[in-house]
Amino acid sequence: LEVTGAPIFSEEKRWKGVVLVFHDITELKHLEQMRKDFVANVSHELKTPITSIRGFSETLLDGAMKDEKMLEQFLHIILRESGRLQSLIQDLLELSKVEREDFNMNVEEIDVQRLLNDLLPIVKQHADKKQVQLSAFIEGVTIIQGDSSRLKQVFMNLLTNAINYSEENGKVGIHFQESKDYVTVSITDNGVGIPEEEVPRIFERFYRVDKARSRNSGGTGLGLAIVKHIVEAHHGTVRVESVIDKGTSFHVEIPKKFTEN
Ligand code: ADP
């Protein structure tokens, strides 16, 4: 609470009292703290790969590159870490766009099933690498209004997560449902699950339940924050159901008709 005060005087300059104004600055303080945390997080996330790239390059130049095995191993690390920087910067740029209330949506008529089917070959590659089985139940044609490249990104992020947070031989399913005014796409895995008390926080920027697992699988911690903003820009909702060690479902519901704000 912030308090400011001022005396008040009558016309004859006689003191009559004081006015006290109470400002509730909890919300402002909270926003300021979130901004500071965000800057600290970004700096930390950028620093880690850069330190690693510098360290391994220096070691190579100091003589390690004479050993061919080491040369190859270190170059792989440098490539991986610079890839991580690239994903982080891409996600940061995308997030800063979609966080703006007036961000530019490119709305057109989209065939949802086709959009999902277009993603399958890319997702399948990733699933095969992790030996995760992918099954899609997306028959038919349904036309909705939306930003197709942004919706692709939503489903891509959710599918990548479903695969990353699955164990080997896990199963990931994509289901499609429609009602008169809405379409719902559900992405279900039988992976590690999310503790109930952490579910409300996973859409926050850089919030991760298991930091090591997220980083090892190339996660930036920004995927779900981006998902939430894009779905909300379509006036839709994301619902999460999760049971620890049993699996997780994300249900994305989007109105068929797009309405401007
Ligand atoms: P990340 O890049 O870390 O995956 P996200 O924003 O996409 O970042 O997700 C935030 C966190 O939510 C993840 O770090 C993970 O802990 C949790 N999470 C997301 N999807 C799933 C899932 N399908 N199963 C289990 N945990 C998940």
Side-chain angles (χ1 to χ4, degrees), residues 182-229:
Y182 291 90
V183 293
T184 307
V185 177
S186 301
I187 290 158
T188 301
D189 64 65
N190 63 351
V192 297
I194 305 163
E196 201 183 328
E197 65 279 11
E198 311 223 25
V199 169
R201 302 204 57 188
I202 56 173
F203 293 93
E204 290 173 21
R205 307 176 293 192
F206 292 121
Y207 192 84
R208 294 152 157 139
V209 178
D210 180 343
K211 285 200 176 58
R213 181 165 191 140
S214 162
R215 293 222 174 84
N216 288 338
S217 58
T220 61
L222 298 174
L224 287 181
I226 294 173
V227 163
K228 180 171 167 261
H229 283 285

Side-chain angles (χ1 to χ4, degrees), residues 115-131:
L115 181 144
L116 291 168
N117 278 310
D118 285 350
L119 294 177
L120 287 183
I122 313 164
V123 180
K124 185 146 190 319
Q125 258 186 4
H126 184 191
D128 285 349
K129 256 192 226 153
K130 266 208 72 179
Q131 301 195 17

Side-chain angles (χ1 to χ4, degrees), residues 6 39 73 87-88 92 99 105 113 136 170 194 206 231 250-251:
V39 174
Q73 193 192 348
S87 323
L88 185 65
L92 277 171
E99 270 188 342
M105 290 255 289
Q113 283 90 335
I194 305 163
F206 292 121
V231 173
F250 282 85
H251 307 280

Side-chain angles (χ1 to χ4, degrees), residues 14 21 38 53 63 70 78 114 130 137 140 148 173 195 234 242:
R14 283 182 49 184
V21 182
F38 181 66
I53 291 169
M70 251 191 223
I78 291 170
R114 180 154 164 212
K130 266 208 72 179
F137 306 91
S148 88
H234 285 83
S242 191

